[in-house]
Structure formats: structure tokens, C-alpha cells
Amino acid sequence: MGSRGPPQSIPNSGAISRGYNFASTWEQNAPLTDHQQAAIISLSHAVSDRPLPLNLAKENASVQDIALSIKTKDNSLHDSGAIETVMVNTNQFYTWFTDLESAMKSETEEKYQHYVNTLTERIQTCDDILQQVDDTLDLFNELQLQHQAVATKTKTLHDACDRLVQEKQRLIDFAEALRSKLNYFDELENVATNFYSPNMNVGNENFLPLLKRLDECISYVESNPQYAESSVYLVKFRQLQSRALGMMRSYVLAVLKGASSQVQEAIRGSGGGKAVSEGVEASVIYVRFKAAASELKPLLEEIESRSSRKEYGQILVECHRLYCEQRLSLIRGIVQRRISEFAKKESLPSLTRSGCAYLIQVCQLEHQLFDHFFPASSKDISSLAPLMDPLSTYLYDTLRPKLVHETNIDFLCELVDILKVEVLEEQHSRRGESLVGLRPTFERILADVHERLTFRARTHIRDEIANYIPFNDDLDYPEKLKRSAESTSENNAADDNPDIFKTWYPPLEKTISCLSKLYRCLESEVFTGLAQEAVEVCSTSIQKASKLIAKRSSLMDGQLFLIKHLLILREQIAPFNIEFSVTQKELDFSHLLDHLRRLLRGQASLFEWSRTTSLARTLSPRILENQIDTKKELEKSLKATCEEYIMSVTKLVVDPLLSFVTKVTAVKVALYSGGQNQKLDSAMAKPLKDQAFATPDKVAELVQKVRTAIQEQLPVVISKMKLYLQNSSTRTILFKPIKTNIVEAHTQLQSLLQSEYTSEEIQIINMKSILDLQTELDNLL
């Protein structure tokens, strides 16, 4: 048996590992989707039965043929050896077995060797394929590097393009901004050409847009003075603006004059040489003028919208002035004619009422018309001043001479009421701000009325109260009161008497009447001064009349007259809510006489004055302040008069008692002083009842006189009190101290009687008890 040769080793190639690595890398970098994997599986099934290539098929057939021939030869040899060879011994068997084993091994190894060779060729083919794949990958890597380089260059180019695009846009924006800025300067030629065009006028539809563009250019150039030649352009723009504003002023004036001419022609045509009715006149003046000047409204509104600028504010003021001049030329004559008609036909109060009402109506209509053309300026009251001031001045000039010559205080008070209530309060509260322009004129008229009323009131107080010369009938008291009482006997109360003022002294009635009229017509400060003066002179006048009545009738009549009128005066001035106190300041030069004497005598020099006693301070007059409270002075006068009256009535009734008590007191004082000096007169040393003046008969006679006075004279006094003082409470207050004095005198006498006289003598005297006396006095009222 031949020995078996060593097996041939399979070549170790890195193609397998590289192929695997490539396949795994491929799978990782380029994974197949489910759809792609399904396609590969379908493709593998389709080619699973595909025949081998032609060269491989021939090689495979030759290999199979060789293997088959070897097998047949071996079988034949085996059969022939087995048949022909006859092994004799064991050695031959082992040799034969070894050869057989080698042959068998050779046959087996040849098949595998051929397979190994085939695999080796396949590996070499795979290595070639892998080499080609590596070369392809290298190409792909190189291509990728080139792609990255191209991408980098492309990105750089793209970025550069973006920068260029941005730079282009920036330059475009800059160019646009520059163009927009230059447009304002370039507009100079365009605007100048249009404004200087012969076809351009304010009525042209392009005028206002051009003017607006011109204003924008001026505003822009003013806000950017740093631009080159901006001042030059600004001057040129200003010139164009001045020309445009001048055109607007001329246009407004022409339209207003045209409208005024149309209205004047319409008035002349409708009047036919006669006076035009007020309704037709208003229709023509306002409606026709509004229609004729309607084309101005857009232009004036445009001017008002730009009035915040100085130039347009000035042209707006100029338009206001032109408007007011034209309107004034239209209505001045009409207003003057109307007011003149009122002045000819009506009295001063009626003229004031009619003139103010007519002027208010005109002012309201003018304000409405002005608001139509100047809606934004209508709230400014000064805008219509050039129109309304001359009209209101004419009314003032008409009223002023009449006011100066008016002497009737009632008319002046009525004028104040008309101006304050009807004109300034009611009209202005109802019609609001449209009449604000007339308020200064009305207040000026009211101030003149106040001045005239104050002057007339002072004159009235001086002539009718202070310097009043009473007639005989004015001093005919108490007869005057008796006649009044008889004529009003049907009335139950004196307050219901409509002729009660007839019983007053005329200065009192004039004072109260004057103050009542002035209270609501004058300012509080002015009225306070007048009231203080009027009350003071009225009180003085009443006191003078009281003295005349006391001489003419009796002292009691004069006192009651004074009490009555002072009470009335105090009562009537009480409702006036003012202070009747006035501080009077006077200059006192009395101390200068001493200084002049010292200078003339050489005791002082003009050049020896110290700082504390300067020449100016020494020679300057002193200011003396004297506060006069008329109400308090009135109270003092009333109190003094009442006290005088009380004492006079008391003396009239109990004068004998008072004289007796006085004598008794004198005797007692003499006795007391004589007892100390031990020098007593024999007559004086007698008891009181033994004195000649104090005998019971004398005392009884004295008591009888007092009783007669109480029963006869005191009722007369009470009746006079009732005649002068109709108020029972006033009489009670005034009679109470009289009653007290009478009772006090009787009480003193009764005490004297009880201490100095016996009971029989007291019965002879027959004095009435104090309780009965009080009852009798109470019954007198």
C-alpha cells in the first residue's frame, strides 16, 4: 500500500475578511429597505436554478468524466486483480492492501484537490473583485472629497452671492432713502413751476395738494439744517409759501367782497328803497352770504387744520379780520338803524332791554355763520371781536348819554335788573359761549349804570334825606297819626294798612325805599357805604324833626316820634345782610405845627435829624382810623331816647312823690349831720310828720295828686303810646320801666309812712296798696 501524501493546504486569502468587512460596512452605510430586501429574495428564487456558465459547465463535465473513468478502471483492476492476483503470503497482502489504500486515498484526495483548486480560483476571483471594489471605493472616496471641495466652493460662492445681494439691497435702500430725501429738494422746481403758472389759482384742484407738498418740503428742510444748501432751499420754499399764502388771502378777500356785493344788491332789490323787514333782512344777510361764500369753506378748513404753524396762524387771523370787516360793512348800518329806532321810540329801560336782545340775536346769528366758515376757531371769542366790538360799542354809545342824564333811581335800578338778570344771567346761561364776546360790553354798561346809580343815590341821600326841609304836614304829629288811624279803622292790624308809609316821616320812607332798591343792584361794598351813610343821615334827620315836633306839639310827642321812627329804621335795615360799620381814614397834620414853631424859633434845625427822627417821618402826616358803626349808633340813640321818655313819663306821674322823698332824704341827712355837730335847728329837729311839708294833710294831698295823675294823665300817655307804637309788645317793653318806677316811688313812700306816721295818719293819707296799684297799672295797657 502506498503512503498517503500530506493534504494540500487551502490558500489563506484576506479577500474573505475584506469581503465580509465590506459587506458589513455596506450594510451599515447603505441599509436596504423592506421593499428592497423583498426584491432581492424574489430575484434569488428566480436565479436559483440558473445553469452554470458555459466554460464552467464544460469543466464540470470533464471532471465528472475523469472521475467516472477512474472509477471504472479501478473497478476493472479490482476485479482483474482479485481475479488474477493470488496472494501467496501475508507480505503480499500487506503490500496489496497498502497499494489499495493509497489508490483509494488518491482517488478521494483528487476529488477534493480539484475542489480546492476550484475554490482557490474562486477566492482569486473574489480577491480581484474585492480589489476592484477597493479601487471603486477609492474612486468614491476621491469623488466624495472632490464633492466636498465643490460643496465648500459652492457654499462660499453662495455666501458671497448672499453678501452681494445684501449689499445690493442696502445700496438700493440707500439709493431709495437718498432719492426720498432728494425728492424734497427736487420738488422745488416742480412746485415753483406750478405756482408761477398763469393757470394756477386757489380754486384749482391742484393748489391744495401742491401747498401740502410745499409744507412737507419746508418741514423736512427745517428739520435737517445739516444738509448742504438747505438754507438756500428753505428761503426759496419760504418765498413760494409766501406767494401761496398771498394768493389765498387775495382769493378769500375777493370771494368775501363778491358775497358782500351780492347781499347788498339783494337787500337793495328786496327793499325797493324802503326799509326791509327783519325776517327778510336776516334771510338775505345770512343765507345769501353763506351760499355766496360757500366755496371758501374747504380752503378755510384747510387753513384751520394747519393753524398750529406760525404762517398759517397768521393767515388765519388775517382771514378772520377780512371776514369781520366784510360782515361789519354789511350789518353795521342795519344794526345802527335798528338801535336808533329803539332809541327814538322807547324809554331807557325798554331801550336797554330791546337793544341788548337785538344785539344778542345778531351775535348769535353771526356766531353761527362764523362757525360755518371757521368751525375750529369759533370757540375763540377773540376771533369775532373785530365784528362784535363795533356793534356793541354803538349800543354802548347810544345808552351812555342817556345813562349820564338819567336821574330816576327807579329806572337805574330797573336797568341793573335788566342787565344782570335778563341779559347776563338768563341769556348767557341759555345760549352759552356764542354770547361771550358781548359780555365785556354788557358788563361795561352795567358798571356805568352802577356808577350812575351810586352817584344818584348819594345825591338822593344828600338832597332828600340829609337836607330835607319838612313841611308843616310832615311835622303835624300826633294829628297825622290820628287821621291815619281814623281812615284805617276798618283794618284789624296796622301791618295790613296799605297806607302805613304815609305815617312815616318822609326821610325815613325815602331811606328805606332807597336802600331796598339799591340792595340787589349794587355790590356789597358799595351798598354798605351807602347804607351806612343813609342810615346815619336819616337818624340825624329824624332827631331834628323830633326836636321840631317837641317845640310844636309836646316833648312827649317828640320823644315818641323819635322812638317810633328809630324802631322802624332798625327793623327795616335788619334784613340787609351787611355790616353797617365803616372805617374812615383821615390825615392828621396837628403835630406839624409844633415842629414848625420849633424850627421858626431856632429850637430845631432841618439838618439835625437822626435816623430815628428823620425829616420825612417827622413832617409826614399821621393817619387816623375811625370806625363808625351806624347800627350801634342807632341803638345808642334809641336807648337814650327811650330812657328820656321813661324818665319824663315817670316825672309826669310821680314827680310829687319823688320831690317829697328827696326832701325827706335831705332832712334826714341834715339831722344826721347836725347830730354829729351838735348844731340843730329847732325846726329841723322836729319829727318828720311835724314838718310843714310832711304833715299828713300835705302827704294826703300829694298822694291824691299822684293818684289823679295816674288816673287822668297816665291814660293819655298810654293812648299816645298806642297811637305812635302800634306793636303791643313794644309798648309793653317801653311801659315796663315806667311801671317799675311808679311802683318803686310808692314803695318808698309806703315804707316812709310806716316808719314815720301812725296808723290813723296813714288812714288819713289813704294811700293805695302796692298790689292794687300794680293791678291798676296793668289794666291801663
Side-chain angles (χ1 to χ4, degrees):
M1 294 178 58
S3 61
R4 189 174 61 180
Q8 186 178 356
S9 61
I10 300 175
N12 187 12
S13 174
I16 297 175
S17 62
R18 289 197 301 271
Y20 177 77
N21 292 332
F22 174 76
S24 62
T25 303
W26 184 280
E27 288 295 332
Q28 292 177 1
N29 294 333
L32 299 178
T33 62
D34 295 338
H35 181 67
Q36 291 173 344
Q37 290 179 358
I40 292 173
I41 294 172
S42 300
L43 185 61
S44 63
H45 285 301
V47 299
S48 60
D49 297 333
R50 182 180 178 184
L52 294 172
L54 183 60
N55 56 347
L56 294 179
K58 291 180 179 181
E59 291 178 0
N60 191 17
S62 62
V63 170
Q64 290 179 358
D65 292 339
I66 293 171
L68 182 59
S69 64
I70 293 173
K71 184 177 180 181
T72 304
K73 183 178 180 181
D74 289 339
N75 290 332
S76 63
L77 289 174
H78 181 272
D79 292 338
S80 62
I83 296 174
E84 294 179 356
T85 304
V86 175
M87 290 176 292
V88 177
N89 53 26
T90 306
N91 189 25
Q92 293 178 343
F93 173 75
Y94 280 112
T95 302
W96 173 81
F97 181 75
T98 301
D99 294 337
L100 180 61
E101 186 177 10
S102 298
M104 291 179 64
K105 188 175 179 181
S106 176
E107 293 177 359
T108 305
E109 288 180 356
E110 183 181 3
K111 181 176 63 173
Y112 285 103
Q113 185 64 37
H114 180 72
Y115 184 68
V116 168
N117 294 334
T118 303
L119 289 177
T120 303
E121 292 176 357
R122 297 294 185 271
I123 290 172
Q124 185 61 39
T125 302
C126 288
D127 289 339
D128 295 339
I129 293 172
L130 288 175
Q131 184 63 37
Q132 293 178 0
V133 171
D134 290 338
D135 295 340
T136 303
L137 289 175
D138 293 337
L139 292 175
F140 274 117
N141 290 333
E142 184 179 358
L143 183 62
Q144 186 174 8
L145 292 175
Q146 293 177 356
H147 177 269
Q148 291 178 354
V150 172
T152 303
K153 293 180 180 180
T154 303
K155 186 177 183 301
T156 303
L157 180 60
H158 185 270
D159 294 340
C161 291
D162 287 342
R163 287 195 300 272
L164 290 175
V165 169
Q166 293 177 359
E167 183 68 17
K168 177 185 177 182
Q169 187 63 38
R170 187 181 66 81
L171 293 176
I172 290 173
D173 294 340
F174 178 76
E176 290 293 334
L178 185 61
R179 186 178 299 107
S180 63
K181 295 177 180 179
L182 291 177
N183 282 338
Y184 293 102
F185 296 90
D186 295 338
E187 284 291 335
L188 176 62
E189 183 178 357
N190 179 31
V191 175
T193 303
N194 283 280
F195 273 131
Y196 284 102
S197 174
N199 297 327
M200 177 57 66
N201 55 53
V202 180
N204 194 313
E205 60 181 5
N206 296 324
F207 181 81
L208 291 179
L210 281 174
L211 187 62
K212 182 178 181 181
R213 183 58 179 169
L214 178 60
D215 293 338
E216 293 174 353
C217 294
I218 292 176
S219 299
Y220 184 80
V221 175
E222 283 181 340
S223 61
N224 296 281
Q226 71 276 10
Y227 292 163
E229 298 185 358
S230 61
S231 59
V232 177
Y233 276 88
L234 181 59
V235 171
K236 294 181 179 180
F237 281 131
R238 290 289 187 192
Q239 292 176 352
L240 291 175
Q241 187 184 53
S242 299
R243 177 179 175 81
L245 295 179
M247 295 171 61
M248 294 167 63
R249 182 189 181 282
S250 301
Y251 178 76
V252 170
L253 179 58
V255 173
L256 290 176
K257 284 186 176 180
S260 299
S261 300
Q262 293 182 22
V263 171
Q264 290 175 353
E265 292 178 0
I267 293 176
R268 288 193 295 268
S270 60
K274 300 180 180 179
V276 186
S277 63
E278 187 173 350
V280 175
E281 193 175 73
S283 174
V284 173
I285 291 176
Y286 297 101
V287 179
R288 181 68 64 88
F289 186 88
K290 183 187 294 186
S294 60
E295 55 190 292
L296 284 180
K297 186 174 176 59
L299 177 63
L300 297 178
E301 289 179 352
E302 191 69 24
I303 295 175
E304 283 189 323
S305 65
R306 307 179 191 183
S307 60
S308 58
R309 302 178 183 178
K310 180 180 178 181
E311 298 80 6
Y312 286 95
Q314 293 175 351
I315 193 64
L316 180 61
V317 172
E318 185 68 14
C319 290
H320 290 166
R321 186 183 64 81
L322 294 175
Y323 172 85
C324 292
E325 287 179 355
Q326 295 301 316
R327 291 299 305 168
L328 184 62
S329 65
L330 280 176
I331 66 174
R332 183 201 296 270
I334 298 172
V335 172
Q336 291 180 354
R337 186 174 67 252
R338 295 288 183 189
I339 294 178
S340 299
E341 292 175 357
F342 294 149
K344 293 178 182 178
K345 299 178 181 178
E346 301 178 1
S347 61
L348 182 57
S350 180
L351 170 62
T352 304
R353 181 182 288 108
S354 301
C356 292
Y358 178 70
L359 197 60
I360 288 172
Q361 181 183 5
V362 172
C363 181
Q364 189 175 13
L365 293 175
E366 287 298 329
H367 187 273
Q368 292 175 358
L369 185 63
F370 185 81
D371 183 68
H372 173 74
F373 289 104
F374 302 95
S377 306
S378 59
K379 294 182 180 179
D380 186 7
I381 60 174
S382 62
S383 301
L384 268 177
L387 172 60
M388 299 312 302
D389 287 350
L391 300 179
S392 57
T393 301
Y394 183 77
L395 176 63
Y396 176 80
D397 294 340
T398 303
L399 293 176
R400 174 68 179 174
K402 297 180 178 295
L403 290 176
V404 171
H405 294 88
E406 182 60 53
T407 60
N408 192 328
I409 294 180
D410 293 334
F411 278 4
L412 294 174
C413 292
E414 186 178 357
L415 288 179
V416 174
D417 185 68
I418 292 172
L419 291 171
K420 287 181 64 176
V421 179
E422 298 182 13
V423 177
L424 290 176
E425 293 181 5
E426 293 184 3
Q427 296 293 342
H428 279 269
S429 62
R430 286 187 302 174
R431 306 189 182 185
E433 60 186 18
S434 63
L435 302 182
V436 176
L438 294 178
R439 191 174 189 89
T441 301
F442 291 155
E443 290 178 348
R444 183 182 176 189
I445 297 174
L446 180 60
D448 290 346
V449 176
H450 279 162
E451 181 180 0
R452 181 62 180 172
L453 180 59
T454 303
F455 173 77
R456 288 303 308 162
R458 291 188 182 278
T459 305
H460 180 78
I461 292 172
R462 183 193 64 204
D463 298 341
E464 301 295 332
I465 301 175
N467 299 329
Y468 180 77
I469 300 176
F471 298 97
N472 292 330
D473 186 60
D474 296 333
L475 302 176
D476 190 15
Y477 287 88
E479 299 300 327
K480 188 176 182 179
L481 297 175
K482 293 178 180 179
R483 290 194 299 269
S484 177
E486 291 175 359
S487 62
T488 59
S489 58
E490 296 181 358
N491 296 329
N492 296 327
D495 294 340
D496 298 332
N497 184 8
D499 298 330
I500 188 173
F501 298 110
K502 293 181 179 180
T503 63
W504 292 4
Y505 187 55
L508 174 63
E509 188 271 333
K510 293 178 180 180
T511 300
I512 302 302
S513 176
C514 180
L515 293 181
S516 300
K517 295 172 184 176
L518 297 178
Y519 181 61
R520 299 189 180 277
C521 296
L522 296 178
E523 299 295 332
S524 178
E525 295 80 5
V526 179
F527 178 77
T528 299
L530 289 175
Q532 185 270 339
E533 181 181 355
V535 171
E536 182 178 2
V537 299
C538 179
S539 177
T540 303
S541 179
I542 293 173
Q543 291 176 9
K544 292 180 180 178
S546 172
K547 294 178 181 179
L548 295 176
I549 293 173
K551 292 179 180 179
R552 180 172 178 172
S553 297
S554 65
L555 177 62
M556 188 176 298
D557 286 317
Q559 293 172 342
L560 288 173
F561 170 85
L562 184 57
I563 293 173
K564 170 185 175 68
H565 286 80
L566 290 181
L567 284 172
I568 294 174
L569 181 59
R570 186 185 68 174
E571 179 184 357
Q572 293 297 322
I573 65 174
F576 300 134
N577 188 21
I578 60 171
E579 295 291 336
F580 286 86
S581 60
V582 177
T583 302
Q584 295 181 349
K585 295 183 178 180
E586 298 178 353
L587 295 179
D588 182 20
F589 296 91
S590 60
H591 67 288
L592 298 181
L593 185 60
D594 294 335
H595 294 292
L596 292 176
R597 288 175 179 172
R598 293 176 60 195
L599 290 174
L600 293 176
R601 293 172 181 174
Q603 297 176 356
S605 175
L606 292 174
F607 306 101
E608 294 180 356
W609 302 97
S610 63
R611 291 185 177 180
T612 56
T613 59
S614 62
L615 179 63
R617 180 178 300 177
T618 303
L619 298 181
S620 60
R622 298 171 183 172
I623 299 177
L624 301 180
E625 293 186 357
N626 183 23
Q627 187 172 10
I628 301 175
D629 193 333
T630 308
K631 204 169 185 179
K632 290 183 179 179
E633 295 296 329
L634 178 62
E635 293 288 346
K636 290 180 181 179
S637 299
L638 179 60
K639 182 179 180 182
T641 305
C642 290
E643 290 176 351
E644 291 177 1
Y645 175 75
I646 291 169
M647 291 308 299
S648 64
V649 173
T650 302
K651 187 176 181 180
L652 176 66
V653 176
V654 295
D655 183 60
L657 290 181
L658 296 177
S659 300
F660 178 76
V661 172
T662 303
K663 290 180 180 181
V664 171
T665 304
V667 169
K668 288 185 177 181
V669 170
L671 289 174
Y672 177 75
S673 60
Q676 291 181 346
N677 297 327
Q678 299 297 324
K679 293 181 180 180
L680 291 176
D681 189 6
S682 60
M684 297 294 295
K686 296 179 182 180
L688 180 62
K689 61 182 179 180
D690 295 335
Q691 299 289 337
F693 70 90
T695 61
D697 294 335
K698 293 288 185 180
V699 175
E701 183 182 356
L702 183 146
V703 171
Q704 184 61 35
K705 288 182 180 180
V706 173
R707 185 178 302 166
T708 302
I710 291 175
Q711 294 177 351
E712 295 179 1
Q713 295 182 5
L714 190 58
V716 175
V717 172
I718 298 299
S719 63
K720 280 193 175 183
M721 286 180 61
K722 292 181 180 180
L723 189 62
Y724 281 92
L725 306 175
Q726 287 80 13
N727 193 334
S728 59
S729 60
T730 304
R731 295 195 300 270
T732 302
I733 293 173
L734 187 60
F735 183 70
K736 184 177 180 180
I738 298 174
K739 172 186 171 183
T740 302
N741 292 340
I742 294 173
V743 172
E744 180 67 21
H746 282 76
T747 302
Q748 292 179 3
L749 180 61
Q750 191 173 22
S751 299
L752 186 63
L753 294 177
Q754 291 176 357
S755 62
E756 300 291 340
Y757 295 89
T758 63
S759 58
E760 291 80 4
E761 293 172 342
I762 292 176
Q763 290 180 356
I764 293 173
I765 294 172
N766 192 21
M767 183 178 178
K768 186 178 291 187
S769 65
I770 300 300
L771 184 60
D772 294 339
L773 178 63
Q774 290 179 343
T775 304
E776 182 180 1
L777 293 177
D778 292 337
N779 292 332
L780 291 177
L781 289 176

